Amino acid sequence: MSYGEPPALDFSDFHMACICGNNGHGKSAIIDGITWALWGEGRKASIEKKPDEGLLKIGKTEMTVEFVFDVEGDRYRVIRHYSKSGKMSKSVLEFDIYAPLTGEYTGLTQKNLSLTQEKINQFLRMDYETFINSCVLLQGRADEFATKKAGERKQLLSDILGLSRYDELSNMAREKYKEANMRVELIEEEQRKLAEEMFQKENVMERLGNIKTHLEKLNEEIEDMEKELVFMRDKKSKLSFIKDQLIEIENHIGREEASLKDLKKQETLFQIDVERTEKIVMEEKNILEQYNNYQELLREEASMVEKIQKITGLRQKKHSIESKINQKRNEITSEIKIILEKINSIKLQLNETVKIIEEKKSIEEGYNKLQTLEITETKMEEKLAEKRHLEEKKRDVEKKIYEKESALKIELATLEDRRKEQDKYIIDEEKAIKEIELIKKEITWLEVIEKEKEITVKKIAEKQSGITHMEGQIKDIDKELDRERERWRSLGKARGGVCPLCEATFDEKRKTLTMEKIKKEGEEKKQKRADFLIKIETFNKEIASLMEEQKNLDSSIKKIQPKRDLIAQKNMGITQSRKTKEFIYEIKGKIQEIIKKIEDKTFVSEEIKELWELEKNIKEHTINEGDLRKIKSEREKCSLYGNLKFKLDMAVENRDKLTEQIPELEKKLKEKEEILQKEDFSPDFKKQLEEINRELNQVNYSQEEHNLTKEKIKKLSGITTRKVLFEEAQKHLPVTVKKQEEVTKSVKEKETLLNKMKDEKENNIVMLEELPSLVEIIPEREFTLQGLRIRANDLTAEKGTLESLRENFNKIEGKIEILDKEFEVKGHGREIYKILFKAFGKDGIQALIIQNSIPEIEGEANKILSRLTDNRIHIALELQRDKKSGGLKDTLDIKISDESGTRDYELYSGGEAFRTNFSLRIALARLMARRSGTKLRTLIIDEGFGTQDAEGIEQLVQAIKEISMDFDKILVITHMENLKNMFPTKIEVNKSPVYGSTFSVIK
C-alpha cells in the first residue's frame, strides 16, 4: 500500500465522513486496507489472482493491517500480515474477540488461513463480492450490479437476503425424503417376503401334531430298554471290579513275596553287623593305649614348630634393621653429591654474572635507545589508525549514497517496465461493447435451444428409469416362474398321501386343484412378463428418437459456451483496460517523482555533508608510513637490549648472594664426609641388631629331633580313625541287636498274610465265570437302544424345527403388524419432506422472499433517483420475461425509463448512468442494513462524482444525508474540493515522497 507506518485511524469519532485528497495519494487504499484485512481482497490488476503483491508498497517486503470493529455490543479484531522474500511469500491471519472482564483478546483463529477466513465470512454472513456489490460503490465499479448477468444479479440478491439458509433446509428436506422413500420401499419388499413365508403355516402345524404322538410312544419304549440295560451294566460293573480286584490281589501277592525276600536278606545282614561290632569292642585296651601315645607326640611337635616361628621372626627383624642402616648410609652419600653440584652451579653463575657486569655501559645505552623508538612507534601507529578509521567511514558513506541512488534507479526501471507492460492491456472499449451486444443476441437464441435440450434429456432419463424398473420386475417374475415349475414337478412326482412341499396329508383331488392353481398363476405371470417386454421395446424406440433429437440440439448448443466465454473475455478486457489506464497514470506520477529526486540529490543531502567533513579530517591526519617502517626496523634490531638489561639487573642483584653461599656449602660438605668415614650414624639400629643376635643364640632347637617326632606321628596316624570306630561300635551295638529282632518278627507276619491272600484269589476266580455272557449281550441291547434314540432325536429335531417355524410365524405376524404401522408413519413423513423440499427450494419460499423484496428495492431506488433526476428517470425490476418458444423464464432484469421511454442501460449518459447505479446500490445497501442477521451496517462510496454537475453533486450529497440514519458508518471518497466541504468530518490524505501516504482527521 502507499502507506508506510501511519497512526491508527479511529472511525468511532464520527458517523459520516469524507475521505479527500489528490488522485493517487491513497484515498481508496484506506478501503483496500479494510477489505484486505477482512477478506484478503482489494483492487488488483486483471492478470493478478491475489491483490497482495499489488497492494505492497514499492520497495517494501511486508505489510500488516490491524482492523478493530464493534458489532452488536462486542468488539472484534482482525490482523492480516503478508511478507515476501524473493519468489516466496507468506500470509498470516488472526481473528480475535475482546473479553471486557480480562481486558484481553481471545483467539477465534482456526488451524489454517482458509478456515479462519471461512469463520470471518460465517460471522459477517457475507463474502467480498456481496460486500462490494451492496455496501460499497468502488472506484470505477459503480455499475458492478447493473452490468452483471441476470442470474448473477439474482444470486447476489439471494445472498443479501440470506436465502442460503433455505437452500440448506431444502437439501436437508431432500435427504430426509430420500431416507423416508428408501425405508418405505424396503418395508414394502419386506411385507411381500413375510406374506410368502406365512403361506406354509397350516401344513407346519398339522405335521407338528403327528410328530408329538409318535414321539411319546417311542420315548416309552426307550425307557424300558434303558432300565434293562442299567441292571445288566451294574452286574457287569461289579464283575469287572472283581476281575480288577483279582489282578490287584495277584500283583499284591507278588509284591509281598518280594518284600519277604528283602526282609530275610536284611535279617542276614544284621547278623553279620552284630558279629563285626562285638569284635571291635573287644580291642578296647590296645586302641586307648596307642591313642594316648599319639597325643603326646603331637604336643612335642607343636613346641618345635613354635621355636621355628620365633627364629624366622628374629631373622626377618634382623634383615629389616640392616636395610635401614644401609638406607641411612645412602642418604648421606646423596647429600654429599647434591652439595657438590650446588657449589659447581654457583661458581658457573658467578662467572656469567661477572661477564655481564663488565658490559654494563653498552647494555644501558642500547636499552635507552629501544625505549625512545617504542614511544615514537606507538604515537605514529595511533595517528595512522585514526586516519584509516576516517577513510573506512568515508567508504561507508559513499556506499550508502550509491545504494540509495541504485535503489531509486531500480525502482525507476521497474516502474518503466510495468508501464510498458500495461500498454498491451489497453483496448478500443467502444468497439468491444458493440461486439458484446451482437454476441448476447446470439446467446439468447441458443439459450432457448439449451432449454429444449434439458426437456429432452429429462424425458430420456424418465424412459430409461422405466426400462430399468420393468427389467427388475421381469427378473422377479422369472424367479417366481422357476419356483412354480419346481413345485409343479414335485407335485407331479408325488405318490401316497403326503405332500412333498409341506409333508401334510392330501388326496388326489387336492393335488389336482393345487397343480391347476400353480398353472394358472404361471400363465398370469408369463402374460405380465410379455406385457413388460412390449413396453420396454416401445420405450427403447422412443429413447432412440429422443437421442437423435438431443444430438441435433447438441450441435447447436456447443456454440453457446464459446460465445459466453468470449463475452466474459471482452468484459474482462474492458475492465482491465480501464484499470490499466488508471494504473499507468499512477506509475507516471511516481516516475516523475523519482527522476526529480535523482537530479536534485536531496535524498542524500545528509550523506554528502558527512562526506565533506570526513575528507577534511583525513587531510589533517597526514603521516609518512616509510618513516614508520624505518623506526620499526630499528626497534626490532634493538629489541635484544631489553633482555640483556633484565639479565644485567639480575646479575648485580645476585652477585653478592652467590659469593656468600660457597663457604657455607663447603663447611656442610666436610661434616657429611666425616660422618660417612667414621660410620657415626644409626646408633639405635646397631644396638637393636646386637640384641637380636643374642636372642637367636639362646633358642634351643634341633632339626634331627623334630624329624624323628614327625616319623612317629606318621606311624600312629590311623589310631584316630580306629578310636572313632570303637566309640561308634560301643554306642550302636544295642541298637543293631534290637533292629535284628524286629526284622525277624516282620518275616513271620509276611508269611501269614501271603497265605490269606492266596485263599481270596481262588474265591474270585469262581465268581468271574458269568462275565463273558454279559459282555456279549450288553452291546446288542445298546445297539437296539441307539437306533431308537436316533429315531427319537430325528423326530425331536424335526419337532424343534417345526416349533421354531411356529414361533417364527408368530414373530412374522408381529413384524407384519409393526411394518404396517411404520409404513403408515414413514409414508406420511415422505410426503411431508417432499412438500418441504419444494417449499424451501428456489421456486418456493425463496422466490416469494425475492418477489416481496423487489417492490422495496424499486421503491427505495426510485425514491432516491426521482430526487436526483427531478423525477425524470425510473427503475423497474422484472423477475420473469417471455420466452421465444412461449411461456415465462425466471430472470432479474433492470428496466430504466425516462420521458423518452424505456432504453437500455448502456444508452444513458455517464452522469445519468451513475445516478441510476447510485440509487440502485443505495437501495440494496439499505435492504442489507435492515434485513435480519446482517452485521455490517456500513456504506462506502468511492469517487464517481466527476460525471455530475454542481446541482447533481448537491443532490447526491443530500440523498446520502437523508439515508444516513440507516447506517452506522458512511464514508465518501473524492478528490473534488467543492464536495469535501459538504461533509461534517474530513479525512485528508496527503502523499510524501519520503514517508508515503499520511492522513489527518478534520472536524
Side-chain angles (χ1 to χ4, degrees):
M1 299 181 184
S2 57
Y3 291 86
E5 295 183 2
L9 177 56
D10 190 354
F11 291 96
S12 62
D13 294 338
F14 53 83
H15 171 229
M16 183 165 57
C18 172
I19 302 175
C20 52
N22 294 332
N23 285 332
H25 276 208
K27 302 183 298 298
S28 298
I30 293 175
I31 308 306
D32 285 335
I34 295 172
T35 59
W36 186 73
L38 289 174
W39 294 287
E41 294 288 352
R43 293 174 297 166
K44 60 178 181 287
S46 58
I47 59 173
E48 294 176 343
K49 291 183 179 180
K50 297 290 290 181
D52 300 336
E53 194 166 346
L55 294 175
L56 190 65
K57 187 177 180 182
I58 295 173
K60 298 292 183 181
T61 59
E62 60 180 348
M63 62 178 174
T64 302
V65 175
E66 180 178 343
F67 185 49
V68 179
F69 56 97
D70 293 345
V71 175
E72 297 178 356
D74 292 322
R75 175 159 293 180
Y76 299 88
R77 179 179 68 185
V78 175
I79 301 174
R80 192 181 293 269
H81 177 80
Y82 174 79
S83 59
K84 183 181 179 185
S85 176
K87 294 183 179 181
M88 301 296 292
S89 63
K90 183 181 179 182
S91 297
V92 179
L93 178 61
E94 297 178 21
F95 184 37
D96 307 311
I97 182 171
Y98 182 72
L101 293 175
T102 61
E104 296 178 351
Y105 282 95
T106 302
L108 299 174
T109 308
Q110 304 300 299
K111 63 182 179 182
N112 57 45
L113 190 143
S114 59
L115 291 176
T116 304
Q117 186 60 65
E118 213 174 285
K119 184 80 172 177
I120 295 171
N121 290 355
Q122 289 173 358
F123 174 77
L124 298 175
R125 295 191 186 170
M126 68 170 68
D127 56 12
Y128 175 70
E129 285 297 319
T130 306
F131 182 68
I132 63 171
N133 279 282
S134 54
C135 300
V136 184
L137 277 76
L138 287 177
Q139 183 177 347
R141 296 176 66 179
D143 60 349
E144 187 89 22
F145 183 78
T147 56
K148 283 185 179 292
K149 293 180 182 178
E152 292 174 345
R153 284 196 294 267
K154 193 168 183 181
Q155 182 58 46
L156 178 62
L157 186 57
S158 295
D159 293 341
I160 292 171
L161 293 168
L163 300 184
S164 60
R165 176 57 181 160
Y166 291 104
D167 287 332
E168 294 173 7
L169 292 172
S170 179
N171 291 334
M172 288 170 63
R174 181 176 57 191
E175 292 302 319
K176 291 289 185 182
Y177 169 75
K178 287 180 180 179
E179 290 175 10
N181 187 56
M182 187 181 297
R183 182 57 188 158
V184 167
E185 289 177 354
L186 289 172
I187 290 169
E188 289 175 338
E189 179 63 20
E190 197 168 351
Q191 285 176 327
R192 183 185 64 77
K193 290 179 180 178
L194 292 175
E196 290 178 359
E197 290 181 22
M198 288 296 292
F199 180 74
Q200 299 292 335
K201 183 179 178 181
E202 184 179 344
N203 293 333
V204 167
M205 296 305 294
E206 184 179 346
R207 176 61 181 164
L208 181 61
N210 294 334
I211 286 173
K212 284 181 178 180
T213 303
H214 190 187
L215 194 59
E216 286 175 3
K217 294 178 181 178
L218 193 60
N219 286 333
E220 289 175 1
E221 189 177 349
I222 289 169
E223 187 178 354
D224 294 339
M225 183 71 72
E226 283 176 343
K227 288 178 181 178
E228 184 183 358
L229 265 172
V230 167
F231 174 76
M232 294 173 75
R233 284 173 184 159
D234 184 52
K235 192 171 183 179
K236 179 190 172 185
S237 177
K238 289 176 180 177
L239 292 174
S240 296
F241 176 75
I242 291 170
K243 183 180 180 181
D244 293 339
Q245 197 175 24
L246 178 62
I247 295 168
E248 180 61 29
I249 289 168
E250 289 173 346
N251 292 335
H252 195 181
I253 289 169
R255 289 195 299 270
E256 291 298 329
E257 286 176 344
S259 177
L260 179 61
K261 187 178 180 181
D262 290 340
L263 286 170
K264 287 181 177 180
K265 189 176 181 181
Q266 287 179 29
E267 185 179 14
T268 304
L269 290 173
F270 276 123
Q271 180 64 36
I272 293 167
D273 194 21
V274 167
E275 290 173 357
R276 182 182 59 79
T277 305
E278 286 175 345
K279 186 178 180 180
I280 291 170
V281 171
M282 288 173 68
E283 295 181 11
E284 176 180 3
K285 183 179 179 182
N286 187 29
I287 290 170
L288 292 176
E289 185 179 342
Q290 289 181 8
Y291 179 75
N292 291 332
N293 291 336
Y294 179 71
Q295 292 295 318
E296 182 63 31
L297 289 169
L298 286 176
R299 284 193 289 273
E300 289 176 6
E301 204 268 339
S303 175
M304 291 176 181
V305 169
E306 286 178 2
K307 289 178 181 180
I308 291 172
Q309 290 175 349
K310 185 176 182 181
I311 290 168
T312 303
L314 289 169
R315 285 175 180 171
Q316 288 177 350
K317 196 172 182 183
K318 179 182 176 183
H319 178 71
S320 175
I321 291 169
E322 286 174 347
S323 297
K324 289 178 180 178
I325 292 169
N326 291 330
Q327 183 181 354
K328 188 64 177 179
R329 185 183 292 110
N330 292 335
E331 287 176 359
I332 293 169
T333 304
S334 297
E335 288 175 3
I336 291 169
K337 188 178 178 181
I338 290 168
I339 292 168
L340 284 170
E341 288 175 354
K342 281 186 178 181
I343 291 169
N344 293 331
S345 176
I346 290 169
K347 286 178 179 179
L348 286 172
Q349 289 181 34
L350 277 171
N351 291 334
E352 289 178 2
T353 301
V354 170
K355 287 179 183 179
I356 291 171
I357 291 171
E358 288 173 355
E359 296 177 6
K360 179 178 179 182
K361 185 177 179 181
S362 62
I363 289 171
E364 287 179 343
E365 287 175 358
Y367 181 71
N368 291 334
K369 185 179 179 181
L370 175 63
Q371 283 187 317
T372 304
L373 288 170
E374 285 177 345
I375 292 167
T376 305
E377 182 186 357
T378 302
K379 289 180 179 178
M380 292 181 77
E381 282 184 340
E382 288 175 353
K383 198 169 184 180
L384 181 62
E386 191 171 354
K387 179 185 177 184
R388 286 175 178 168
H389 176 66
L390 291 169
E391 287 174 345
E392 184 67 26
K393 284 184 73 175
K394 178 187 174 185
R395 283 194 294 273
D396 290 343
V397 173
E398 288 173 343
K399 184 181 178 183
K400 194 182 292 183
I401 292 170
Y402 173 76
E403 288 174 350
K404 286 191 174 182
E405 189 170 355
S406 297
L408 285 173
K409 287 179 179 178
I410 290 168
E411 187 176 354
L412 180 63
T414 304
L415 290 170
E416 286 288 354
D417 290 342
R418 291 180 75 180
R419 184 186 65 76
K420 290 175 184 177
E421 187 182 351
Q422 295 298 320
D423 286 341
K424 63 185 177 183
Y425 298 116
I426 298 174
I427 62 171
D428 186 346
E429 293 182 20
E430 187 175 349
K431 181 181 176 183
I433 289 169
K434 288 180 180 178
E435 289 174 352
I436 287 170
E437 286 303 314
L438 290 172
I439 295 168
K440 280 183 177 178
K441 290 178 181 177
E442 293 178 14
I443 288 173
T444 303
W445 177 75
L446 290 171
E447 283 175 345
V448 174
I449 295 174
E450 190 175 30
K451 197 70 178 178
E452 291 177 2
K453 181 203 168 183
E454 290 174 3
I455 295 168
T456 303
V457 170
K458 188 176 180 182
K459 288 179 179 178
I460 291 170
E462 289 173 354
K463 297 289 182 184
Q464 288 174 339
S465 177
I467 289 171
T468 302
H469 179 71
M470 285 188 285
E471 287 174 345
Q473 293 288 326
I474 287 170
K475 287 180 181 178
D476 292 341
I477 290 170
D478 288 341
K479 290 178 183 177
E480 290 174 2
L481 286 170
D482 289 341
R483 286 197 295 270
E484 295 298 332
R485 289 190 192 100
E486 185 61 33
R487 290 174 67 193
W488 175 271
R489 283 195 293 270
S490 297
L491 285 170
K493 294 176 183 178
R495 297 291 182 270
V498 179
C499 176
L501 302 178
C502 62
E503 297 187 3
T505 55
F506 79 125
D507 52 13
E508 285 298 323
K509 182 179 180 182
R510 185 176 175 184
K511 173 181 174 181
T512 304
L513 288 172
T514 304
M515 290 180 71
E516 287 177 357
K517 182 181 178 183
I518 292 170
K519 183 178 178 182
K520 184 179 179 183
E521 288 175 354
E523 293 297 330
E524 289 174 356
K525 287 172 182 174
K526 286 179 183 177
Q527 184 59 44
K528 191 176 181 181
R529 186 179 186 280
D531 293 342
F532 279 136
L533 289 171
I534 293 167
K535 282 185 181 180
I536 288 172
E537 186 179 355
T538 305
F539 276 22
N540 280 325
K541 289 178 181 178
E542 291 175 358
I543 288 170
S545 175
L546 289 168
M547 289 182 77
E548 184 65 30
E549 184 181 343
Q550 179 187 346
K551 185 177 178 183
N552 295 333
L553 292 172
D554 281 338
S555 61
S556 299
I557 291 168
K558 285 179 182 177
K559 302 174 186 176
I560 193 168
Q561 190 56 43
K563 291 185 180 294
R564 285 173 177 164
D565 294 341
L566 185 59
I567 289 178
Q569 185 180 347
K570 289 186 178 293
N571 280 327
M572 189 182 294
I574 293 169
T575 306
Q576 185 175 342
S577 177
R578 291 172 182 172
K579 290 180 180 178
T580 302
K581 288 176 183 177
E582 295 174 4
F583 189 52
I584 289 172
Y585 178 79
E586 289 182 7
I587 289 174
K588 286 180 178 178
K590 290 176 182 178
I591 289 170
Q592 292 301 319
E593 288 176 8
I594 292 169
I595 292 170
K596 188 177 179 184
K597 280 183 182 181
I598 293 172
E599 290 173 351
D600 296 346
K601 300 286 185 182
T602 53
F603 65 97
V604 289
S605 57
E606 291 294 328
E607 285 82 356
I608 291 171
K609 183 178 178 182
E610 185 180 357
L611 189 63
W612 181 80
E613 290 288 340
L614 287 169
E615 287 174 347
K616 181 181 176 184
N617 290 333
I618 289 168
K619 288 176 182 178
E620 292 174 357
H621 288 75
T622 56
I623 186 168
N624 191 333
E625 293 188 24
D627 293 342
L628 178 60
R629 284 194 292 275
K630 287 178 182 179
I631 289 169
K632 282 189 176 202
S633 178
E634 287 184 37
R635 193 259 303 159
E636 287 173 359
K637 290 177 183 178
C638 295
S639 61
L640 60 92
Y641 285 105
N643 190 30
L644 289 172
K645 180 66 169 64
F646 175 75
K647 288 182 178 181
L648 177 63
D649 292 340
M650 293 299 294
V652 172
E653 183 180 347
N654 294 331
R655 181 179 55 184
D656 296 338
K657 291 180 181 179
L658 293 171
T659 305
E660 292 172 358
Q661 287 179 7
I662 291 173
E664 293 177 1
L665 290 170
E666 288 175 344
K667 181 182 178 182
K668 194 174 181 180
L669 176 64
K670 188 177 180 181
E671 291 173 353
K672 293 291 181 182
E673 287 175 342
E674 288 177 356
I675 291 169
L676 185 63
Q677 188 177 2
K678 296 177 181 179
E679 291 198 356
D680 190 12
F681 54 86
S682 305
D684 293 336
F685 289 137
K686 289 179 179 178
K687 187 177 180 181
Q688 290 176 16
L689 188 61
E690 291 173 358
E691 181 66 27
I692 288 169
N693 289 329
R694 185 180 60 77
E695 289 181 5
L696 283 170
N697 293 329
Q698 291 176 353
V699 175
N700 183 17
Y701 172 75
S702 171
Q703 185 65 45
E704 291 179 2
E705 290 180 3
H706 194 180
N707 292 337
L708 184 59
T709 303
K710 284 182 179 179
E711 187 65 28
K712 290 178 179 179
I713 290 170
K714 186 177 180 183
K715 288 179 180 179
L716 292 172
S717 60
I719 194 61
T720 306
T721 305
R722 288 181 67 195
K723 185 175 182 294
V724 170
L725 289 172
F726 165 72
E727 289 173 349
E728 288 292 324
Q730 193 177 34
K731 182 179 178 182
H732 289 98
L733 180 60
V735 176
T736 306
V737 172
K738 185 177 180 181
K739 285 184 177 180
Q740 182 189 8
E741 293 172 352
E742 288 175 355
V743 169
T744 303
K745 183 181 178 182
S746 296
V747 168
K748 291 178 180 179
E749 290 175 353
K750 287 286 181 185
E751 289 174 346
T752 303
L753 178 63
L754 273 170
N755 293 328
K756 186 178 179 181
M757 291 172 68
K758 287 176 181 179
D759 293 338
E760 187 178 354
K761 174 184 174 182
E762 292 299 325
N763 294 330
N764 287 340
I765 290 170
V766 174
M767 293 174 67
L768 286 173
E769 291 176 356
E770 192 179 354
L771 182 61
S773 61
L774 286 173
V775 170
E776 186 178 346
I777 294 168
I778 288 172
E780 294 176 358
R781 295 287 192 275
E782 286 177 341
F783 181 76
T784 305
L785 179 62
Q786 187 179 6
L788 294 173
R789 283 176 175 169
I790 290 169
R791 179 58 181 157
N793 288 338
D794 291 342
L795 291 173
T796 303
E798 187 178 358
K799 176 190 171 189
T801 303
L802 293 172
E803 286 176 342
S804 297
L805 287 173
R806 182 183 63 188
E807 292 298 322
N808 192 42
F809 288 138
N810 294 335
K811 290 177 182 178
I812 289 170
E813 289 172 348
K815 282 183 182 179
I816 290 171
E817 185 179 352
I818 293 168
L819 287 172
D820 290 342
K821 291 178 181 178
E822 188 180 0
F823 180 81
E824 184 179 353
V825 173
K826 292 292 182 182
H828 180 66
R830 178 178 62 175
E831 295 305 315
I832 290 173
Y833 287 129
K834 187 176 181 181
I835 294 167
L836 289 174
F837 163 59
K838 292 180 179 178
F840 289 131
K842 299 287 185 185
D843 298 330
I845 294 173
Q846 295 187 47
L848 291 174
I849 293 172
I850 292 174
Q851 187 176 345
N852 291 335
S853 66
I854 291 300
E856 184 179 353
I857 297 170
E858 284 181 350
E860 290 289 349
N862 286 322
K863 183 179 177 182
I864 297 167
L865 193 58
S866 63
R867 186 183 301 113
L868 298 178
T869 61
D870 294 329
N871 212 25
R872 288 189 309 102
I873 299 175
H874 295 276
I875 296 173
L877 300 176
E878 294 184 356
L879 288 171
Q880 291 182 329
R881 65 164 176 246
D882 295 330
K883 295 194 293 186
K884 291 182 180 179
S885 59
L888 296 174
K889 179 182 179 180
D890 289 337
T891 183
L892 182 55
D893 293 333
I894 302 172
K895 301 293 183 181
I896 307 172
S897 58
D898 58 8
E899 61 272 8
S900 301
T902 301
R903 287 185 289 162
D904 290 336
Y905 167 80
E906 291 80 3
L907 298 178
Y908 283 86
S909 67
E912 290 173 328
F914 178 78
R915 286 193 290 270
T916 302
N917 284 319
F918 177 82
S919 303
L920 192 57
R921 294 290 292 280
I922 294 298
L924 289 172
R926 294 185 77 178
L927 175 66
M928 174 170 275
R930 288 198 296 266
R931 74 177 175 84
S932 173
T934 302
K935 297 198 173 189
L936 287 181
R937 293 166 47 84
T938 303
L939 178 64
I940 301 171
I941 304 170
D942 188 0
E943 296 291 4
F945 299 99
T947 59
Q948 306 299 305
D949 53 22
E951 184 181 357
I953 290 171
E954 189 174 346
Q955 289 173 337
L956 284 170
V957 173
Q958 186 60 36
I960 291 169
K961 289 180 178 179
E962 287 184 7
I963 63 170
S964 64
M965 296 311 294
D966 287 339
F967 300 94
D968 294 335
K969 201 72 59 186
I970 297 178
L971 298 174
V972 177
I973 302 172
T974 184
H975 66 280
M976 300 172 65
E977 287 292 328
N978 60 335
L979 180 61
K980 69 181 183 180
N981 294 323
M982 296 183 180
F983 292 92
T985 301
K986 294 185 284 295
I987 302 172
E988 290 195 351
V989 179
N990 294 297
K991 192 172 185 181
S992 164
V994 178
Y995 301 108
S997 299
T998 58
F999 58 80
S1000 58
V1001 180
I1002 302 171
K1003 295 184 179 179

